[in-house]
Every structure is written in structure tokens, then in C-alpha cells.
Amino acid sequence: MTIELQPPVDDPIVVDDLERLSFRVDRRAYTDDDVAAQEMAKIFDRCWLYLGHESEVPEPGSYVSRDVGGRPVVMSRGSDGQVRVFANSCTHRGALICSQPAGQAKSFRCPYHDWTFSNQGDLVGVPIPDGYGPGFRKADFGLAQHRSDSYRGFVFVTFDPEQPRTLTEYLAGATEYLDLIDDQSEVGMEVIQGAQLHGAQANWKLMMENSVDIYHFRALHKRYVSYMQSLGSVPPRRRGGFGRSLGLGHGANELPPAAARPLAHWTPMFPEEVRPSIEATAARFVERFGAEHAERITGTNRALLIFPNLLIIDAIAITIRKIDPIGADRMAITSVALAPKDEDPEIRELRKSHYLTFLGPAGFATPDDIEIVESCQRGYGNRTVRYSDLSRGMNKEIPETTDELPAREFWRQWDRLMHGDDGHFEAAHQAELEGAEQL
């Protein structure tokens, strides 16, 4: 008879040993229901969470409704032009006040008792009002408004009324990468209409790791590598580029030069007839920013992780992934494409094609990624191997993109918050955190 011994309750989940250059994560972090419940309280109820993009609510009256951090919310641009985030819950008896994913509305009506709210959150209509006493005031029953803010069009929300950091403070070094994205247009960026909603039977943190993991590209995405080569393009090299810590759990991988960018970097993957347009765009960027910075904006691929739930893959196309946990072994994924508002129609069609071909839920890469994270989740069910290893690159002053620095920074912040830490850096990690700053 075999008796399975459970680890002590106070046993660390993240084992970060700088002396031995070892970084391990106990696999119960991916499988334990109690850990999943603690994450909702200590991370998703406290952090700034990515919700959407301002371009999704372009005009007064436009709105989107979606879940974030396990809570249904509505992002609405009021008739006054201001973007607000409301709890998608009637203040009377709690029903959803908005059941459509997106639309245009001057007001939101609860289907239960017809309580009606303006698109600025005020309660404006109550049937049979004489049923309430003289103390009843509509002003006391407006929609609950969550604290929200945006940076370069990216909208975040926090459910913590005592969140001490402003959004810009929270984003820390990630603002540099959001700038690189938003600077791709002089008139602004926009989400291309049509979101892909899917999921995976795996823990949400596996997708956060996977999306900043370049080490797996040639091994897991062999079909796409062959496809790129058949078109005369060069897939990402096994070596090169660099990984960066951006503070507070955020991280990025950057790969120069890009294999293909419909924005301003032509390769044989694209039709010859669009080459003049792409090269003309590249010349405009050089004029605006200078050759060096223009090359960084238009000629590099990058994967950005903003803790805890946002991934932006700025490569063949710009893909935004919002990840939401649904228990220990399931996640929901919202995926959209971002593009310059002033993009030439032929380039826009090319961008959409490449987004769907590689990063769409039925493309070359995403099904591979979903299958592999679900495979990991099933493998954890064996329980014989206790730890996953994320030590790659700890022996380097400047980690490469095939190393695991962004994932380690994600886990360090996860561990700090799960232990009630306020998220400040520990001095012991400064050498690894600052290595890429020399670039």
C-alpha cells in the first residue's frame, strides 16, 4: 500500500534559489482549489486588471460587457464622453443590466423589474415609484462604479478601493512597451472588430508562461516554421534577442529583427504589390522618430506580459490576450487584434489574415499552445514530480528570449502577493532584474 504524503501547509510554492541558480514552482500552484481561491482574493481583487481598449467604446453611448477577474462588468462611454466601468449588476436585486457583449445605448434596463440606468450609471427610472417610502432616493441606487484608468488607450480596472498605486505607477516599466505599440499610429490604435472567445482546460498561469516563452517556438510550432520557410521568410532564431523585467511582475521578450511586420517591415511572406506601401510607412517612421527608434517600433517582435492577466504579442500582428481563471484547471481567453486606425485597407486585410493564420484560435500557433498547456495540466495529475523548473537563463547577465526571465518575474510577484507583500522589489534580485537595462 502506497501512502501519498502531502506537503506541509507552510511549504513554499515558489523556491527561488539565487545561490544555486535554481527557480522551481510547486505544481500544486496549478492544481489546488484552495490556491485558486486565494488567488482571486489576493491577486485579482487587489491588482489593476486589463479590461479592454478605449477604441472598443469609440462614441458616446457605446459599451462592451465582459467578465474580468471573475466579475461581470460594463465598460461604457457615457453621453458626456467619459469612459466608466460599472458592476454589471442591478442595484435592486442583482440581475445583469447588460446581456449583450457590445452595442450602443443611452440607458441600461434591468429585465427583472425594469429599473433603468443612464449610460453614466445614474438610476433614472423605477416603475411604480409610489411603492417606496419618502426616504427612497434614486441617487442612492446608481450603478456601482469601479475605479478605472487608461494608459495609451489600454483600460484597466481595480476592485481594491485602497489600491495605493496609480495605473501608471502600477505599470512601471511596461509603459515603455505600451508606448512602442501606441506609437505605431499618429492618429491612434484600434481593436479590429470581432473578438475570439475561447478557453482551455488548464490553469490560467500556464498561458501567461507560454505566451512569453520563446524557447518552445521551433519545437511546438513546427508547422508554422515550415510554412514561413516555404514563403521565403525566416522564422525566429533559436538564439538572440533579450528578456527584460519591467517591475511588479511585468516582463517582456524582444527579438530584433522582425520576421515579418505588415506595419513597416516587408518580407517574402507578403505580396510584392504591398511592398511600396510598407516601405513608405517605414520611411515615415524614420522621419518621425529617427532611424534607431523607428527600427525598434517597426522592426522588432516582442511579447509583453502585464501582471496578472494581460498578454500582448506584437509580432506578425498585434494580439491582445486577456486571461481569466475559472477554477484551478480552467481558463477563459479573450483575444483581439490591434491595428493603426489610419492603416491602408490592403495592409489591414493582410494584418487580419496573418493574425488569424498564426495567432487566431484556429491558426497555426494557438491550437498548439492550447493543446500543450492542457497536456501540462493532465501531466500534473500524476503528482509524482513535484516541481516545474523555470531556471533557464539565471546564469546569464543578460537573459535571452529563449530564457525564462519574464516567467520568473511573474512568479515572484505572484509569490509576494500571495504572502501579503506590497509588491516592492527584493534587493537580492536586483542583478537579474537590471541585467537587460544595459541594452
Side-chain angles (χ1 to χ4, degrees):
M1 177 179 176
T2 300
I3 299 177
E4 184 177 335
L5 298 177
Q6 296 296 323
V9 174
D10 60 351
D11 225 18
I13 287 179
V14 176
V15 182
D16 188 2
D17 190 337
L18 290 174
E19 183 178 346
R20 293 181 172 82
L21 299 178
S22 173
F23 194 100
R24 298 182 299 161
V25 176
D26 193 315
R27 292 178 177 177
R28 62 194 158 108
Y30 306 94
T31 61
D32 188 273
D33 290 333
D34 183 57
V35 169
Q38 289 185 53
E39 287 176 340
M40 299 309 294
K42 296 180 178 181
I43 295 176
F44 285 87
D45 284 354
R46 290 189 56 197
C47 292
W48 283 98
L49 308 175
Y50 177 71
L51 172 57
H53 195 268
E54 287 182 348
S55 65
E56 296 180 89
V57 287
E59 301 172 350
S62 52
Y63 69 85
V64 295
S65 66
R66 56 185 51 139
D67 288 0
V68 60
R71 304 189 191 207
V73 301
V74 177
M75 178 169 68
S76 169
R77 189 179 292 274
S79 296
D80 60 356
Q82 182 179 338
V83 175
R84 299 175 178 85
V85 178
F86 302 112
N88 192 355
S89 178
C90 182
T91 50
H92 176 218
R93 298 280 286 278
L96 297 179
I97 52 93
C98 182
S99 59
Q100 298 300 313
Q104 189 85 11
K106 292 183 178 180
S107 62
F108 300 105
R109 184 187 66 83
C110 175
Y112 200 176
H113 300 94
D114 270 349
W115 278 35
T116 304
F117 304 85
S118 76
N119 57 24
Q120 297 175 196
D122 301 314
L123 178 61
V124 294
V126 176
I128 320 176
D130 59 4
Y132 294 97
F136 177 83
R137 299 189 314 156
K138 290 180 182 177
D140 295 334
F141 289 90
L143 293 175
Q145 183 173 338
H146 299 300
R147 180 181 170 189
S148 63
D149 201 354
S150 66
Y151 183 85
R152 301 300 296 267
F154 295 89
V155 180
F156 294 76
V157 61
T158 180
F159 302 122
D160 182 1
E162 299 180 358
Q163 166 58 244
R165 291 184 176 88
T166 65
L167 176 60
T168 302
E169 290 170 341
Y170 179 84
L171 291 173
T175 58
E176 174 187 345
Y177 284 83
L178 295 178
D179 290 341
L180 290 171
I181 292 168
D182 198 60
D183 282 344
Q184 292 177 31
S185 172
E186 292 185 82
V187 300
M189 304 291 286
E190 65 180 0
V191 167
I192 298 175
Q193 188 173 6
Q196 284 75 49
L197 309 176
H198 57 106
Q201 295 183 28
N203 187 272
W204 67 280
K205 299 183 291 295
L206 285 168
M207 185 55 70
M208 302 304 293
E209 294 174 0
N210 170 274
S211 297
V212 288
D213 179 280
I214 310 300
Y215 191 36
H216 78 265
F217 190 91
R218 283 181 176 265
L220 186 63
H221 303 311
K222 292 178 181 178
R223 293 178 306 151
Y224 188 68
V225 169
S226 297
Y227 172 69
M228 292 178 72
Q229 291 171 333
S230 72
L231 296 176
S233 191
V234 179
R237 299 188 298 266
R238 285 191 180 274
R239 305 295 299 272
F242 55 89
R244 290 185 62 188
S245 166
L246 304 175
L248 299 177
H250 319 316
N253 276 319
E254 193 163 338
L255 291 111
R261 294 293 296 279
L263 174 71
H265 190 88
W266 186 89
T267 80
M269 286 185 70
F270 301 144
E272 182 68 36
E273 55 265 28
V274 303
R275 187 170 187 172
S277 176
I278 290 177
E279 291 179 347
T281 301
R284 289 197 300 272
F285 275 95
V286 172
E287 184 178 343
R288 286 175 62 197
F289 297 105
E292 184 177 346
H293 193 61
E295 174 63 20
R296 187 150 182 244
I297 293 172
T298 67
T300 60
N301 289 329
R302 49 196 154 254
L304 172 65
L305 184 158
I306 295 181
F307 187 93
N309 74 327
L310 173 60
L311 297 157
I312 303 179
I313 302 170
D314 185 6
I316 300 157
I318 305 175
T319 301
I320 300 174
R321 285 177 177 167
K322 181 177 76 73
I323 310 297
D324 289 287
I326 307 176
D329 59 355
R330 287 180 59 212
M331 73 179 93
I333 303 170
T334 303
S335 180
V336 297
L338 190 72
K341 291 180 179 178
D342 54 347
E343 193 164 51
D344 290 344
E346 58 182 352
I347 302 300
R348 174 62 63 89
E349 291 305 310
L350 185 63
R351 179 186 296 275
K352 290 193 294 187
S353 173
H354 280 268
Y355 164 73
L356 292 172
T357 297
F358 180 62
L359 293 161
F364 276 104
T366 301
D368 293 340
D369 293 330
I370 296 298
E371 183 176 6
I372 206 65
V373 298
E374 291 184 341
S375 175
C376 291
Q377 192 74 30
R378 290 194 298 272
Y380 296 160
N382 183 276
R383 299 189 300 279
T384 302
V385 181
R386 181 173 171 184
Y387 293 99
S388 289
D389 184 87
L390 290 91
S391 304
R392 186 175 175 84
M394 289 184 74
N395 61 328
K396 299 177 184 177
E397 186 175 1
I398 301 175
E400 298 181 52
T401 55
T402 50
D403 297 325
E404 294 162 333
L405 174 60
R408 285 193 292 276
E409 284 312 294
F410 171 90
W411 276 108
R412 284 172 177 148
Q413 181 70 353
W414 181 94
D415 195 47
R416 287 189 285 262
L417 290 174
M418 291 291 278
H419 283 91
D421 193 288
D422 65 2
H424 289 297
F425 292 125
E426 296 179 25
H429 299 312
Q430 287 305 303
E432 185 176 14
L433 300 185
E434 296 173 357
E437 296 297 331
Q438 302 174 28
L439 294 172

